[in-house]
Amino acid sequence: MEYPGNLFVVAAPSGAGKSSLVKALLELDSKLNVSISHTSRAPRGQEQHGREYWFTTVDEFRTMAARDEFFEWAEVHGNLYGTSRAAIEARMAHGEDVVLEIDFQGALQIKQLFPYAVLIFILPPSWEELEQRLTRRGDTDPAVIAQRMSNARLEVAQAQNFDFVVVNAVFDTAVFDLKSIVHAQRLKYAAQRRNRSAVFRALELP
Ligand SMILES: Nc1nc2c(ncn2[C@@H]2O[C@H](COP(=O)(O)OP(=O)(O)O)[C@@H](O)[C@H]2O)c(=O)[nH]1
Ligand SMILES: Nc1ncnc2c1ncn2[C@@H]1O[C@H](COP(=O)(O)OP(=O)(O)O)[C@@H](O)[C@H]1O
């Protein structure tokens, strides 16, 4: 499948800083749109239906999956998560740039469907720092942290299947790295289409 516009997929082990980085990237780049996923997990804290996620029951999720309403879906940490066609298809058809913040299983499914998608994997600077970030964020139940740390080892092994790896040590440096990848991809896309005005738009030149 091919649409005009760029598709970026960001994955990371839980606690590496993916949500914070994507949020910062979106604030810097008004041309990027983030996809809102569906999930069967319960809302946490201040989360709102339609803002962080579309919250569904397991049955609703499975019905959508059976109707082929997802581009990809996966089970992560015991819950179901998916990118619905409705969430991104219209935007992609209009040539907008879309970011998916999903797990590695979903990222690999997206690469199969859209080979031009740019897959970015966020790494924490160390295992110790990952554990500290998970603890600081308030996932205080040691069993939950232990489960996420053991999943993290499996997830990090998938980094080799991604196009880029960004290490989130100093936050602003990692945001800059992400911004550079987005910028470079826009230039590459414009150059491939031999479209001078698209190159200028990507460079933000008059
Ligand atoms: N495959 C897939 N994974 C998703 C989707 N949405 C979120 N995820 C992933 O599900 C995992 C759990 O997300 P979440 O419940 O928000 O917990 P957090 O990672 O601790 O913030 C993360 O790895 C997300 O990237 C989706 O639509 N598809
Ligand atoms: N570069 C960084 N240095 C220190 N703390 C960070 C950094 N990036 C993110 N954090 C913190 O780590 C925690 C996990 O970040 P979050 O964005 O929720 O991760 P994820 O979405 O990958 O699960 C949050 O408390 C966040 O403020």
Side-chain angles (χ1 to χ4, degrees), residues 48-119:
Q48 281 178 23
H49 185 63
R51 191 179 65 185
E52 284 80 7
Y53 286 105
W54 299 106
F55 295 99
T56 70
T57 62
V58 172
D59 283 351
E60 285 165 349
F61 194 101
R62 294 221 178 267
T63 302
M64 286 181 71
R67 288 193 191 134
D68 202 23
E69 290 180 28
F70 292 116
F71 276 131
E72 64 74 31
W73 67 271
E75 184 174 334
V76 191
H77 310 316
N79 293 302
L80 303 171
Y81 294 85
T83 306
S84 73
R85 293 171 188 277
I88 57 172
E89 204 162 27
R91 286 177 161 168
M92 294 201 302
H94 285 108
E96 292 179 31
D97 289 351
V98 171
V99 182
L100 307 182
E101 210 190 305
I102 62 180
D103 90 308
F104 77 87
Q105 305 169 79
L108 299 178
Q109 292 177 56
I110 289 290
K111 192 77 176 181
Q112 292 288 319
L113 276 179
F114 306 103
Y116 61 90
V118 178
L119 268 47

Side-chain angles (χ1 to χ4, degrees), residues 3-185:
Y3 291 93
N6 297 296
L7 183 57
F8 300 96
V9 182
V10 184
S14 181
K18 171 166 52 71
S19 306
S20 319
L21 289 170
V22 170
K23 187 164 175 278
L25 181 67
L26 291 169
E27 280 165 12
L28 288 173
D29 188 334
S30 59
K31 286 184 282 184
L32 281 178
N33 301 280
V34 73
S35 161
I36 298 171
S37 295
H38 282 68
T39 182
S40 68
R41 89 151 158 72
R44 275 195 312 234
Q46 303 297 308
E47 287 181 338
Q48 281 178 23
H49 185 63
R51 191 179 65 185
E52 284 80 7
Y53 286 105
W54 299 106
F55 295 99
T56 70
T57 62
V58 172
D59 283 351
E60 285 165 349
F61 194 101
R62 294 221 178 267
T63 302
M64 286 181 71
R67 288 193 191 134
D68 202 23
E69 290 180 28
F70 292 116
F71 276 131
E72 64 74 31
W73 67 271
E75 184 174 334
V76 191
H77 310 316
N79 293 302
L80 303 171
Y81 294 85
T83 306
S84 73
R85 293 171 188 277
I88 57 172
E89 204 162 27
R91 286 177 161 168
M92 294 201 302
H94 285 108
E96 292 179 31
D97 289 351
V98 171
V99 182
L100 307 182
E101 210 190 305
I102 62 180
D103 90 308
F104 77 87
Q105 305 169 79
L108 299 178
Q109 292 177 56
I110 289 290
K111 192 77 176 181
Q112 292 288 319
L113 276 179
F114 306 103
Y116 61 90
V118 178
L119 268 47
I120 307 166
F121 199 90
I122 312 285
L123 281 179
S126 66
W127 297 115
E128 292 72 27
E129 176 64 17
L130 181 65
E131 194 159 2
Q132 277 174 25
R133 286 184 193 169
L134 281 171
T135 309
R136 272 204 303 272
R137 197 175 59 181
D139 293 12
T140 39
D141 181 348
V144 172
I145 293 181
Q147 188 206 12
R148 290 185 176 217
M149 288 301 294
S150 96
N151 285 347
R153 291 184 189 268
L154 301 173
E155 289 161 357
V156 164
Q158 294 294 325
Q160 61 185 351
N161 296 315
F162 280 59
D163 298 305
F164 294 95
V165 169
V166 170
V167 179
N168 179 21
V170 177
F171 187 79
D172 288 350
T173 307
V175 175
F176 182 79
D177 287 348
L178 281 176
K179 205 171 165 337
S180 302
I181 293 167
V182 169
H183 188 60
Q185 173 60 24

